[in-house]
Amino acid sequence: MATEAHTPDRKPHVPVLLRPLLRAVAPVEGVWIDGTFGAGGYARGLLEAGADKVIGIDRDPLAHRMAADWIGDFAGRLELAEANFAEMDKVASGVDGVVLDLGVSSMQLDLAERGFSFMRDGPLDMRMSQDGPSAADLVNEAGEAELANILYVYGEERASRRIAKSIVRARAEAPITRTLQLAELVESCLPRSKPGQSHPATRSFQALRIAVNDEYGALYQGLMAAERALRPGGLLAVVSFHSVEDRMVKRFLQVRAGQTGNANRYAPVLETEKPQFDLVTRKAVGPDKDELDENPRARSAKLRVARRTDAPAGEVDAAAIATPQIKGTR
Ligand SMILES: C[S@@+](CC[C@H](N)C(=O)[O-])C[C@H]1O[C@@H](n2cnc3c(N)ncnc32)[C@H](O)[C@@H]1O
């Protein structure tokens, strides 16, 4: 989900849904993991609200470099770790709270050289961690069916097959290496967008970004890692930006709070184990009117909060929490 970076004058920004999040987890105490540190807005908010310590995890080395000039403001109360939140329990456990603010930051989106944006020309990269295969590798090497699946499942792009075919045709002539090269190619496959509609390449870029960073795999693993990392009574707060992410968080919390019922009436009734979470927010919390007036982009943000019980942590089936799966052909 997009958030604004610290401005050059170091004025901290107010990240999306921070106020409702701090209200939902009050009183803030003890040690918290911020699994999506980004520009540090949530970490700063938690520290200012009373957390003794925040462990900021981000897989983007840039987020850590950006924090270097203000981490000293919190003298020993802010620790950073370059890691994937899918493994947060290896960084810390027994913590009082975990926050996740999913997706990409506007700091990442705004830098052309990171290759996330269809508005700015840059290398077709999109890697948050800056290692592993890039979007260019995916676009130039994946089979046509896999590309179409990625665009359809991760981007909900209805013209997925047409775009995948066009990519495969274009790359036979010359590799696709630049963001604008891909954006123009996608645009050429779709009707011109009407005023007020999003850019035609929005869905394709979102899909590729999710695939390159295995965002849904990380979320699936990350929710289970949070379950392991939290002490009994500890709080999990997740802010999501897309319906697919929110559905995964909602389903995970329903399953772990023992609130799924028997979805399949033909399935045997399972011995119900003690739930790992109690729901704190029954429905997703969105931005209030003030936040929407300040930041219209916050309109799709959703917050869900749950409290860890003392039941042992365990495994959840990926399909049970609606984790989208791509059938690969590479
Ligand atoms: C929306 S931003 C978070 C913004 C932050 N709440 C703030 O106030 O500045 C998401 C951040 O999470 C990081 N991120 C996304 N997925 C991650 C993962 N699986 N592990 C670690 N960091 C991740 C991204 O690199 C990005 O910096």
Side-chain angles (χ1 to χ4, degrees):
M1 137 117 87
T3 183
E4 276 133 49
H6 283 266
T7 48
D9 61 3
R10 295 185 63 211
K11 196 168 127 228
H13 71 103
V14 178
V16 173
L17 293 190
L18 177 62
R19 283 179 303 229
L21 183 144
L22 291 176
R23 269 197 301 273
V25 301
V28 182
E29 293 165 336
V31 178
W32 282 68
I33 292 178
D34 176 355
T36 51
F37 179 75
Y42 276 26
R44 186 183 277 271
L46 289 165
L47 287 165
E48 287 171 353
D52 296 323
K53 184 170 161 185
V54 172
I55 300 161
I57 295 177
D58 203 297
R59 57 176 161 178
D60 187 344
L62 178 66
H64 300 276
R65 286 201 295 277
M66 296 274 299
D69 63 344
W70 62 273
I71 192 170
D73 297 354
F74 291 98
R77 292 171 60 215
L78 177 57
E79 241 175 51
L80 298 183
E82 196 178 312
N84 191 318
F85 64 59
E87 299 191 319
M88 70 176 87
D89 56 318
K90 292 189 181 148
V91 178
S93 61
V95 298
D96 300 275
V98 170
V99 288
L100 294 175
D101 177 15
L102 302 172
V104 71
S105 68
S106 45
M107 183 165 73
Q108 291 163 327
L109 275 175
D110 289 348
L111 289 170
E113 66 268 27
R114 299 300 301 275
F116 286 103
S117 172
F118 48 78
M119 307 289 278
R120 296 179 175 80
D121 194 32
L124 191 55
D125 189 323
M126 302 194 189
R127 295 168 302 173
M128 290 179 186
S129 63
Q130 300 184 20
D131 66 6
S134 66
D137 294 330
L138 185 62
V139 161
N140 289 297
E141 289 166 23
E144 187 176 324
E146 183 184 2
L147 277 174
N149 275 338
I150 289 172
L151 297 176
Y152 187 72
V153 177
Y154 291 167
E156 294 171 333
E157 173 55 74
R158 280 189 289 169
S160 55
R161 291 211 188 127
R162 204 180 319 145
I163 296 169
K165 189 183 270 296
S166 208
I167 288 175
V168 169
R169 201 181 303 131
R171 77 190 188 191
E173 303 286 319
I176 301 164
T177 58
R178 309 288 300 177
T179 49
L180 289 193
Q181 192 187 356
L182 179 65
E184 280 163 21
L185 200 150
V186 172
E187 220 173 336
S188 71
C189 298
L190 294 168
R192 190 182 285 274
S193 53
K194 301 195 182 90
Q197 279 185 335
S198 56
H199 187 285
T202 308
R203 291 180 297 277
S204 296
F205 270 62
Q206 174 194 306
L208 291 171
R209 192 201 87 208
I210 289 170
V212 165
N213 296 291
D214 185 24
E215 289 181 36
Y216 295 147
L219 178 57
Y220 165 58
Q221 295 293 342
L223 291 168
M224 291 189 293
E227 183 174 305
R228 293 191 296 272
L230 283 164
R231 68 161 172 83
L235 288 162
L236 171 62
V238 187
V239 172
S240 58
F241 199 57
H242 298 298
S243 55
V244 176
E245 282 169 353
D246 181 56
R247 187 164 61 235
M248 285 178 67
V249 177
K250 177 180 164 182
R251 294 283 301 158
F252 174 82
L253 293 178
Q254 278 175 340
V255 169
R256 300 317 262 165
Q259 304 211 339
T260 44
N262 204 1
N264 176 356
R265 66 197 169 104
Y266 300 110
V269 177
L270 300 174
E271 182 83 3
T272 43
E273 49 178 311
K274 192 172 170 210
Q276 282 73 14
F277 282 97
D278 292 325
L279 301 184
V280 172
T281 52
R282 302 241 139 231
K283 284 191 170 168
V285 177
D288 57 24
K289 189 176 171 308
D290 287 351
E291 179 162 5
L292 270 181
D293 291 346
E294 279 164 35
N295 179 9
R297 287 180 309 163
R299 69 186 171 278
S300 15
K302 286 187 171 151
L303 163 71
R304 295 183 187 272
V305 182
R307 187 180 295 281
R308 186 76 173 85
T309 67
D310 59 4
E315 286 273 319
V316 180
D317 185 50
I321 66 160
T323 311
Q325 309 274 5
I326 298 290
K327 289 188 204 80
T329 53
R330 261 192 296 178

